[in-house]
Amino acid sequence: MNRTSPRRTAAGRSVRPVRPVRSAGAGSGGMAGQSAVVTGSSRGLGLLIARELGRRGCRVMLCARDAEELSRAEAMLRGEGTEARSLACDLTDEDAPRRLVTAVRDAFGGGPDILVNNAGVIQVGPLDAMAENDFRQAMETMYFAPLRLVLEALPGMRERGGGRIVTVSSIGGRVAAPHLLPYVGAKFAVAGLSEGLHAELAADGVSVTTVFPGLMRTGSHTAARFSGRPEKEYSWFAVAAGLPVLSMDAERAARAIVRAAEQRKPELVLTPAAKAAVRLHGVAPATVTRCLTLGARLLPTAGEKPERNVPGHVAARSVRPRLVHRLTRLNDRAARRFNQRVS
């Protein structure tokens, strides 16, 4: 296998492409030749899911808000031989689902056969530093946008006699972690929607897979938004998301998600820690709640003058302890590899 070397974008930024390694069984199986749309796919987990779909012979439509990031992501996939297109749009716009489904049909001649609802926004901070609009933004992005996309894509799937829908929720959609309330509220809601869709759409040949990932090394700590005391919130979140014992390699996670969709599994929980948390919450919810209460007391307070919505790559500049940067090293590398903004 040849090593890939960094290349420079028009803006002069060095980008190391994701490694062009083909998965076992690539280009074959039940999804080969089908059209797929993956939201939030310009970077991180969404980009890796799109790559895995391409390796199974799918034609992939990428979707995200940042046109420059999206262009780089499309170039990465095309460089691996994937038939990829992209559409820059804000999924919280009510017209976006129609535009996206139309773009898939125009580009690939039909579909989408596979819909992956992955787009999300992570807002980290105590309740005292949050505003109502933070909760509304989370719900619009991670609940109403997936709902509108499903409603737009579903008639075509039914007409073709089947399809696959994948909803990326979170372990936070099963166990409500403190300092992530807008995020976990939306993830709980979309998990309920996805599980209900699974029951209702099975008779139409449309499978619905709900994914509950735990912490993954996707580099998302650089794109998350931090409120209250951003440098302190960033420190605990970035460290937790990057530790090998707690977090999962993002490429392995993407392969597991696409395999679950291929096999039409109703549910997938990723990472041993997430599986343990879900099981413990199921048998001893009061114990888990007490643990979360103790954990919340260890997290930073909002401070006298809370800051709001500071991007992770900005908050990182204020972090002084070198140990934090050492513990986030694996996740920082993932951010660079998976098209995340790091400066």
Side-chain angles (χ1 to χ4, degrees), residues 123-175:
Q123 301 140 308
V124 186
L127 178 62
D128 290 344
M130 296 293 175
E132 181 179 331
N133 188 58
D134 296 317
F135 291 84
R136 290 187 179 276
Q137 182 187 19
M139 287 295 292
E140 283 290 340
T141 303
M142 294 181 285
Y143 180 80
F144 286 108
L147 171 62
R148 286 191 288 262
L149 263 173
V150 168
L151 294 177
E152 186 68 34
L154 191 54
M157 290 183 177
R158 282 172 165 157
E159 184 178 337
R160 290 186 298 275
R164 291 177 172 88
I165 298 172
V166 178
T167 304
V168 180
S169 179
S170 166
I171 181 58
R174 283 284 180 85
V175 181

Side-chain angles (χ1 to χ4, degrees), residues 23 28 47 81 106 115 138 144 148 153 160 173 180 205 243 272 333:
S23 300
S28 61
L47 173 60
D106 291 345
L115 169 61
F144 286 108
R148 286 191 288 262
R160 290 186 298 275
L180 287 162
L243 289 178
R333 291 174 184 169

Side-chain angles (χ1 to χ4, degrees), residues 45-76:
L45 181 63
L47 173 60
L48 296 176
I49 291 173
R51 182 182 71 171
E52 288 301 320
L53 288 168
R55 290 176 174 180
R56 283 164 171 76
C58 294
R59 300 165 295 171
V60 184
M61 176 66 69
L62 307 177
C63 169
R65 286 176 294 183
D66 191 307
E68 184 179 345
E69 282 185 356
L70 204 53
S71 178
R72 290 197 300 268
E74 182 180 344
M76 287 180 186

Side-chain angles (χ1 to χ4, degrees), residues 256-315:
I257 291 169
V258 173
R259 186 163 56 247
E262 192 171 31
Q263 296 171 356
R264 299 182 181 271
K265 289 185 177 180
E267 181 178 298
L268 174 67
V269 181
L270 291 172
T271 80
K275 292 176 182 178
V278 167
R279 288 171 183 166
L280 182 58
H281 190 271
V283 298
T287 299
V288 173
T289 300
R290 283 193 289 269
C291 290
L292 292 173
T293 300
L294 291 173
R297 292 175 181 174
L298 298 175
L299 294 176
T301 61
E304 293 183 3
K305 296 181 179 179
E307 296 183 61
R308 285 190 35 77
N309 292 321
V310 177
H313 65 271
V314 175

Side-chain angles (χ1 to χ4, degrees), residues 3 12 14 27 33 93 109 282 286 294 299 326-327:
R3 287 184 175 270
S14 178
D93 293 340
L294 291 173
L299 294 176
R326 289 174 183 168
L327 292 175

